[in-house]
């Protein structure tokens, strides 16, 4: 069957493919340690599940407004005001089937053929494909390890041209864990306002932040930048609710309305039951979330310590998210059982096959000198996995 160019031009999500491969090995009884996952290993808290069950029996099982139920949009407004001092009206909030869907909708309504979208690399895979799906051109900026993988104002300014319409920022970031400070964001703001384009701020990892850093939304810097920002967030990571599929966009009304219109002809409202559960999540006690972050802090410190002990590996200290992104290029040119390792993809393949450890090669995120490890597995498994990695790297000749 003949497929549309749109379908031919997109690549499948490679992070999901690697996880699938690791799961297939697990299913065959192989004790694979997976550092590939992109979701918390905690269960969704009971108070959230209870709210969903109650919603089902209360008959909250029908269509809702396309943009989401009012109590949820109000809860989101309250959250944004309390956490970031951002004032939005419920009409400015659109709830979708996960933050990925919010991003897709936003990019669809903002850019088209002939437009350029600035995407700092390493980037989260789906941004790239979503930009292409909208017909726009990604303009990749390679950020540098020595800058903590953060885009500098000079790098941004250099990438701008008359076709620039949008910048995508993700702080705390996936895969690098980079966290932009207020002063980082302020200097980017100057450039954005000077050239006047829009910005998507993906804040899905906001709660996973370490070393005393604080999450700052670029939208909170000034009314001028808020007007140009589409803030994206959701409940998947923060409340361990990846399967519930709820994310949201906060934007000026004209953008929110365009997203609502698009969504009204594609998915309509996100799941009514999940929306009710999210009201409980956002309005309830945030204690379980704090426990989760405390545990991730311990694991982060452990994995960084273990990586630092492996010769040749350098790893930028991630300020947030639940990933580390070590540079493994010192091992390129070495070989294992006659197989030469030339890039992180080669190394990831050998690690999975020979050491039964799954990591995601950086090529997926635009830079194959690195691998991404998530620490969303118990501490014992992290330690066993790092033992295996250190052992295998020691055997390379
Ligand atoms: C996980 C993730 C998302 C999307 O999460 P949803 O489950 O779709 O809400 C968005 N951005 C980044 C960077 C992510 O890692």
């Amino acid at each position: 069957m003949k497929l549309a160019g749109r379908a031919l031009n997109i690549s499948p999500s490679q992070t999901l493919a690697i996880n699938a491969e690791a799961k297939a090995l697990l299913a065959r009884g192989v004790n694979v340690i997976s550092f590939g996952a992109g979701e918390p290993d905690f269960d969704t808290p009971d108070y959230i599940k209870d709210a969903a069950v109650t919603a089902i029996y209360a008959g909250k099982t029908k269509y809702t407004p396309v943009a989401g139920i009012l109590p949820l949009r109000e809860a989101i407004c309250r959250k944004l005001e309390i956490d970031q001092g951002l004032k939005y009206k419920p009409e400015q909030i659109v709830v979708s089937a996960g933050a990925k869907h919010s991003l897709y909708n936003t990019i669809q309504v903002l850019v088209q053929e002939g437009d350029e979208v600035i995407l700092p690399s390493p980037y989260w895979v789906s941004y790239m494909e979503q930009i292409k799906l909208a017909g726009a051109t990604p303009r990749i900026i390679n950020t540098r390890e020595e800058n903590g993988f953060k885009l500098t104002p000079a790098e941004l300014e250099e990438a701008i041209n008359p076709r620039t319409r949008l910048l995508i920022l993700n702080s705390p970031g996936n895969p690098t864990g980079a966290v932009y400070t207020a002063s980082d964001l302020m200097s980017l703001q100057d450039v954005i306002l000077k050239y006047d384009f829009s910005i998507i701020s993906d804040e899905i990892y906001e709660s996973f932040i370490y070393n005393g850093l604080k999450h700052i939304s670029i939208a909170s810097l000034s009314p001028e930048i808020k007007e140009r920002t589409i803030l994206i967030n959701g409940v998947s990571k923060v409340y361990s609710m990846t399967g519930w599929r709820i994310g949201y966009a906060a934007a000026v009304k004209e953008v929110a309305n365009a997203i609502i219109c698009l969504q009204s002809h594609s998915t309509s409202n996100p799941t009514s039951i999940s929306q009710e559960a999210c009201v409980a999540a956002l309005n309830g006690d945030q204690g379980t979330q704090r426990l989760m972050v405390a545990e991730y802090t311990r694991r982060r410190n452990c994995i960084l310590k273990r990586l630092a002990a492996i010769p040749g590996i350098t790893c930028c200290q991630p300020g947030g998210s639940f990933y580390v992104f070590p540079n493994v290029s010192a091992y390129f040119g070495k070989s294992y059982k006659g197989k030469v390792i030339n890039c992180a993809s080669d190394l990831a393949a050998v690690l999975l096959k020979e050491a039964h450890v799954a990591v995601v090669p950086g090529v997926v995120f635009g830079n194959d000198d690195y691998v991404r490890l998530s620490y969303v597995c118990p501490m014992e498994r992290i330690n066993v996995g790092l033992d295996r990695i250190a052992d295998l790297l020691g055997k390379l000749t």
Side-chain angles (χ1 to χ4, degrees):
M1 177 138 352
K2 193 169 179 296
L3 293 177
R6 195 184 306 114
L8 297 170
N9 195 25
I10 53 171
S11 324
S13 170
Q14 287 180 72
T15 43
L16 298 181
I18 286 150
N19 285 323
E21 207 175 314
K23 274 184 188 152
L25 277 173
L26 272 173
R28 293 199 342 240
V30 180
N31 178 18
V32 176
I33 306 267
S34 180
F35 293 111
E39 60 183 342
D41 56 327
F42 286 75
D43 196 6
T44 305
D46 279 344
Y47 76 96
I48 299 174
K49 292 181 182 174
D50 289 342
V53 172
T54 305
I56 291 175
Y57 285 99
K60 305 280 177 65
T61 56
K62 300 293 173 68
Y63 289 137
T64 75
V66 169
I69 55 175
L70 186 60
L72 177 54
R73 285 180 289 139
E74 284 171 344
I76 292 165
C77 289
R78 213 156 32 239
K79 177 237 172 299
L80 291 173
E81 177 152 19
I82 292 169
D83 291 351
Q84 295 293 322
L86 284 165
K87 284 197 168 64
Y88 287 98
K89 297 200 173 79
E91 308 90 86
Q92 296 181 273
I93 310 292
V94 188
V95 183
S96 299
K100 190 184 270 189
H101 186 210
S102 302
L103 287 160
Y104 177 85
N105 285 344
T106 304
I107 292 171
Q108 284 288 320
V109 305
L110 286 182
V111 295
Q112 60 191 12
E113 283 77 8
D115 292 337
E116 281 192 9
V117 180
I118 296 179
L119 183 58
S121 165
Y123 48 78
W124 181 57
V125 268
S126 294
Y127 299 138
M128 176 69 111
E129 302 306 320
Q130 293 187 356
I131 293 165
K132 292 196 290 183
L133 276 168
T137 307
R139 170 86 185 209
I140 307 297
I141 303 179
N142 291 310
T143 63
R144 286 175 296 154
E145 187 176 342
E146 57 271 32
N147 294 336
F149 295 110
K150 290 189 279 191
L151 175 67
T152 66
E155 289 165 343
L156 174 60
E157 190 152 13
E158 208 189 295
I160 294 168
N161 65 41
R163 308 197 313 159
T164 304
R165 287 274 296 118
L166 180 65
L167 163 69
I168 300 184
L169 263 198
N170 173 215
S171 175
N174 175 6
T176 66
V179 172
Y180 287 76
T181 64
S183 78
D184 294 332
L185 293 172
M186 235 120 52
S187 49
L188 292 177
Q189 167 181 242
D190 292 342
V191 180
I192 295 164
L193 294 181
K194 179 172 162 195
Y195 293 93
D196 192 16
F197 49 88
S198 308
I199 165 166
I200 285 181
S201 177
D202 180 350
E203 305 181 10
I204 194 93
Y205 291 100
E206 65 166 338
S207 304
F208 300 91
I209 197 154
Y210 315 104
N211 282 359
L213 288 165
K214 195 178 167 308
H215 169 66
I216 306 210
S217 171
I218 192 166
S220 69
L221 297 183
S222 69
E224 293 76 25
I225 200 80
K226 180 169 176 253
E227 238 178 60
R228 289 165 178 78
T229 303
I230 299 87
L231 186 158
I232 305 287
N233 207 332
V235 297
S236 282
K237 310 286 161 65
V238 177
Y239 297 102
S240 256
M241 292 178 75
T242 42
W244 299 69
R245 310 310 303 133
I246 296 289
Y248 57 86
V252 288
K253 260 178 82 176
E254 146 194 48
V255 173
N257 286 342
I259 296 174
I260 293 169
C261 192
L262 174 69
Q263 182 160 296
S264 76
H265 296 295
S266 51
T267 57
S268 297
N269 63 272
T271 309
S272 58
I273 301 150
S274 293
Q275 289 188 59
E276 296 288 342
C278 284
V279 174
L282 288 167
N283 291 344
D285 174 40
Q286 308 297 304
T288 44
Q289 183 192 328
R290 279 192 291 272
L291 284 176
M292 182 160 80
V293 175
E295 174 59 20
Y296 285 148
T297 307
R298 274 186 352 115
R299 294 182 192 173
R300 168 189 176 272
N301 296 341
C302 165
I303 203 166
L304 284 172
K305 204 171 97 204
R306 296 289 317 260
L307 285 170
I310 301 176
I313 285 190
T314 60
C315 187
C316 193
Q317 296 270 322
S321 77
F322 38 65
Y323 309 103
V324 289
F325 200 58
N327 187 326
V328 294
S329 61
Y331 289 90
F332 298 171
K334 297 190 177 225
S335 51
Y336 186 78
K337 291 185 182 167
K339 163 120 186 63
V340 184
I341 289 161
N342 288 317
C343 56
S345 304
D346 291 346
L347 183 63
V350 169
L351 280 172
L352 186 57
K353 185 158 175 275
E354 307 287 345
H356 299 147
V357 174
V359 302
V360 184
V363 65
V364 170
F365 314 105
N367 192 327
D368 217 20
D369 284 346
Y370 300 84
V371 292
R372 189 191 77 177
L373 283 74
S374 56
Y375 42 93
V376 287
C377 61
M379 197 79 110
E380 317 84 73
R381 308 227 4 119
I382 292 177
N383 275 311
V384 175
L386 265 294
D387 287 346
R388 291 184 190 176
I389 292 174
D391 183 58
L392 185 121
L393 290 177
K395 287 184 187 151
L396 299 183
T397 51

